[in-house]
Amino acid sequence: MGTLFVGGALTLTMGALAYPSMLGLDTVSSAQDRIIAQTQWGPLTEQERDFVVKVRAAGLWEYPLGQIALKKGTTKEVRTAGEHLIDGHAALDASCRKIAPLLNITLPNVASPQQVAFVNQIDSASGNEFNSNFANILRTTHGSIFNAIAKIRSTTKNTLIRQLADQANNTVLDHITVMEKTGLVNFDSALFQQTTPPKLPQDDLTPPAPQPGEPMVVLSPPATATATPTITP
């Protein structure tokens, strides 16, 4: 997994959220609401397709970061948060890989440049600085996506997307909670940055498409997994 994070250095602020604008999911546009396919599970819109892609991309940076937290976290709470990232995103990844072929959605194998840069930024620190960056960046990113998931859940007519949104909602809430339990979250900063993220180029927010014939990256569940995929076609 380490090869996913080579290079891609960007100038970062914590407000430059990694999974945040969801390719426009935080705004209303006719393009995002456009139906791109009629499926046996209901119509699929452009924003719902992007939602599946972004749930997958979230795992591609948060799952390895959870592994890093197990090695570099200096408190039990930070290591526990890392365990939750691995567990939750392995289950979400399984759900994404299950519904993607059913809905004819191409999934990425690499996180977006912005997400890669977040991993590099957090991993470059150690000790208390690592703990703080880990907890605050992830609390901010998860907090910003919470409302976007709710929008998908409340508007979708597709049963598979609805199930994924339910699972994502529960996972994100769990991850918000364990980040807060570290005792390191600066709520004033996190809440400000959730509501005023800077505008970044679309290319920085978009995970690259896989190369033809490229094997799919699989996020394996831990031996102690408690989270489970919830998709029932």
Side-chain angles (χ1 to χ4, degrees):
M1 295 298 295
T3 59
L4 296 178
F5 306 110
V6 177
L10 298 175
T11 301
L12 294 175
T13 66
M14 280 183 56
L17 303 179
Y19 172 114
S21 59
M22 297 267 302
L23 293 180
L25 290 186
D26 56 345
T27 62
V28 177
S29 72
S30 57
Q32 286 291 309
D33 294 337
R34 179 174 63 89
I35 294 174
I36 59 173
Q38 294 289 352
T39 78
Q40 68 184 82
W41 300 277
L44 180 72
T45 68
E46 191 167 332
Q47 67 180 358
E48 291 163 359
R49 177 196 60 195
D50 293 345
F51 174 66
V52 178
V53 169
K54 285 303 189 179
V55 171
R56 161 76 168 175
L60 292 173
W61 77 282
E62 293 180 30
Y63 179 101
L65 195 52
Q67 295 175 317
I68 293 170
L70 293 182
K71 297 177 181 179
K72 299 185 70 171
T74 62
T75 70
K76 178 181 177 181
E77 291 78 11
V78 168
R79 293 191 294 272
T80 296
E83 291 173 349
H84 281 242
L85 290 181
I86 296 169
D87 192 7
H89 281 292
L92 277 175
D93 188 68
S95 292
C96 288
R97 288 184 285 106
K98 187 171 186 177
I99 71 173
L102 300 177
L103 299 176
N104 196 29
I105 296 172
T106 300
L107 296 178
N109 270 334
V110 180
S112 73
Q114 185 192 37
Q115 293 167 329
V116 171
F118 265 121
V119 176
N120 291 338
Q121 178 187 4
I122 296 171
D123 192 23
S124 67
S126 60
N128 292 335
E129 183 182 2
F130 172 87
N131 295 340
S132 179
N133 288 348
F134 173 83
N136 281 281
I137 290 175
L138 285 161
R139 171 58 179 82
T140 301
T141 56
H142 283 85
S144 70
I145 198 56
F146 214 27
N147 291 335
I149 296 172
K151 177 186 174 183
I152 291 290
R153 178 60 180 84
S154 64
T155 60
T156 185
K157 298 178 183 178
N158 188 292
T159 58
L160 296 182
I161 297 298
R162 191 175 300 125
Q163 292 176 57
L164 182 63
D166 284 341
Q167 185 182 348
N169 183 77
N170 293 337
T171 302
V172 169
L173 179 58
D174 173 67
H175 292 174
I176 286 175
T177 301
V178 293
M179 294 306 158
E180 293 172 348
K181 286 183 176 180
T182 65
L184 299 171
V185 174
N186 182 327
F187 286 95
D188 289 338
S189 176
L191 295 177
F192 173 77
Q193 291 168 62
Q194 283 174 207
T195 56
T196 57
K199 300 297 183 181
L200 294 179
Q202 195 65 39
D203 287 348
D204 287 349
L205 299 173
T206 305
Q211 296 299 312
E214 180 181 345
M216 180 172 289
V217 171
V218 174
L219 306 183
S220 301
T224 57
T226 58
T228 55
T230 60
I231 302 297
T232 305

